[in-house]
């Protein structure tokens, strides 16, 4: 079977690349691929990192809160937290106001891991944003924050 190569000069491809939502999607995929590659040695993925980063801003969170805030399926959160617990980066503790519930908290090892990934995160961002100068990067960040604050609570 001969597959026809995708030609960026085709009108349908120009239309696709004119779609901002599609470009954001593609950039998100590329960013995730680059970041997952940087995390590969640790055995973690971007989803684990997102949980750790969220926990670094909180005194702990219920798993359902992690699911809601990060936009992950609740069943995925269970597995992610299990992985992080096995590595000693997070732990489940009884919730102070409801002993039947458990909150997830970042451990000191988890904090150390995050500090160790800061440089890798900056490299990924710099690689992704290479075509932009510093002023353009700042503008892009400001615009993305505005969009995120409006729709990604």
């Amino acid at each position: 079977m001969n597959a026809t190569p995708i030609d960026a000069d085709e009108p349908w491809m120009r239309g696709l690349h004119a779609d901002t939502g599609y470009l954001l999607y593609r950039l998100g995929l590329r960013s995730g691929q680059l970041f997952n590659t940087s995390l590969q040695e640790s055995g973690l993925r971007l989803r684990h990192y997102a949980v750790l980063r969220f926990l670094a801003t909180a005194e702990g969170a219920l798993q359902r809160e992690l699911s809601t805030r990060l936009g992950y399926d609740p069943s995925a959160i269970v597995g992610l937290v299990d992985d992080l617990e096995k590595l000693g980066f997070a732990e489940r503790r009884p919730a102070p106001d409801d002993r039947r519930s458990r909150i997830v908290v970042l451990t000191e090892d988890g904090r150390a891991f995050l500090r160790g990934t800061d440089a890798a995160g900056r490299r990924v961002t710099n690689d992704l944003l290479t075509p932009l100068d510093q002023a353009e990067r700042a503008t892009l960040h400001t615009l993305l924050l505005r969009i995120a604050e409006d729709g990604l609570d």
Side-chain angles (χ1 to χ4, degrees):
M1 177 176 154
N2 266 342
T4 305
I6 295 177
D7 187 349
D9 293 328
E10 291 292 329
W12 63 270
M13 281 303 290
R14 283 194 302 272
L16 190 56
H17 289 159
D19 182 331
T20 303
Y22 173 76
L23 290 175
L24 286 170
Y25 167 74
R26 291 290 301 178
L27 287 171
L29 286 178
R30 180 70 180 132
S31 177
Q33 290 166 344
L34 290 170
F35 208 89
N36 281 333
T37 298
S38 76
L39 289 171
Q40 195 169 22
E41 194 172 298
S42 71
L44 298 182
R45 303 197 40 88
L46 182 55
R47 299 182 105 195
H48 295 98
Y49 178 82
V51 171
L52 291 173
R53 274 287 167 214
F54 181 84
L55 292 174
T57 66
E59 292 297 317
L62 296 169
Q63 288 183 170
R64 69 178 163 269
E65 180 185 4
L66 289 171
S67 173
T68 301
R69 297 297 297 264
L70 297 173
Y72 297 161
D73 185 82
S75 62
I77 290 293
V78 171
L80 293 170
V81 172
D82 287 347
D83 294 343
L84 294 172
E85 269 194 317
K86 286 176 192 165
L87 292 168
F89 293 167
E91 64 184 26
R92 292 174 175 101
R93 295 181 183 161
D97 50 347
D98 181 0
R99 288 184 231 192
R100 295 171 298 169
S101 295
R102 314 267 301 157
I103 59 169
V104 182
V105 296
L106 188 64
T107 65
E108 278 307 312
D109 285 348
R111 288 185 198 289
F113 175 79
L114 285 174
R115 283 190 296 275
T117 60
D118 285 344
R122 284 191 298 277
R123 276 194 308 277
V124 165
T125 299
N126 285 331
D127 288 350
L128 190 65
L129 301 180
T130 296
L132 304 179
D133 64 31
Q134 289 303 316
E136 291 169 323
R137 289 176 186 210
T139 299
L140 176 63
H141 186 82
T142 299
L143 294 171
L144 289 173
L145 270 176
R146 189 181 323 159
I147 293 167
E149 288 170 356
D150 187 50
L152 299 178
D153 299 335

